[in-house]
Amino acid sequence: VRVCVCNSGKYLLTFAMKDKDAVRLWSPRGEPMGTINPGALEAYNVVLSPDSRFISIATMQCDAKIWEVGTDKDGFGFKGKAMELAGRTGGSGSAGHASAVHSVDFGGCSPANLVTDSSTAATGSKDGTCKVWNIAVRYRQNEDPKCILTVEQPDKQPISKVAISRGKIAKYLATWSATAGLVFWGLPSGEKLSVVGTEDT
């Protein structure tokens, strides 16, 4: 079981890969706030956005779903699913992954900044690609996140870990696979900057 505390300190979550309700939200006093069932047999990774507003889970499905936590007329709490980094690549013209998403990460500013923001996300997949998404969309009006960049791991093997740099504008992306090792990419161009082989990590 993994435990994560959000940057705002308003909630924490527990994550279990084999649990049907993979993510459980709790108040700092230990009061249950809700559960998230990602709708998959297995979940690989969970991440909180820097502004504590979003939670995303990477699963054996070819998308990553994003849920929202925040304040409304009913007070602070779990608000439900907000959007999906989704779509199986194919005739529909969607920009999603062709296989399971193994890792997800959020860009954005941390609470150390006066204004926090989470406008980008990255997903790494079994299909050997990493995608960067613009999530600064009107999701309450059913506007979908937009894939703004796709990079392919040099060995074309499954990407098991992905990380995107913090800041108002993300400048770097990192991906990891078993044979290529750690690959650094520049944003927004997608230029491959350097590779740290597995023997050096």
Side-chain angles (χ1 to χ4, degrees), residues 132-152:
V132 178
W133 304 79
N134 173 16
I135 62 170
V137 297
R138 295 170 295 179
Y139 55 89
R140 291 191 180 94
Q141 283 73 50
N142 297 317
E143 183 179 355
D144 294 326
K146 297 173 177 61
C147 179
I148 55 178
L149 178 70
T150 301
V151 296
E152 185 174 52

Side-chain angles (χ1 to χ4, degrees), residues 3 13 26 51 82 94 119 131 136 147 150 162 176-177 179 181 186 199:
V3 179
L13 61 81
W26 310 86
D51 59 6
S94 63
S119 59
K131 295 179 181 290
C147 179
T150 301
V162 62
W176 166 270
S177 60
T179 55
E199 66 279 3

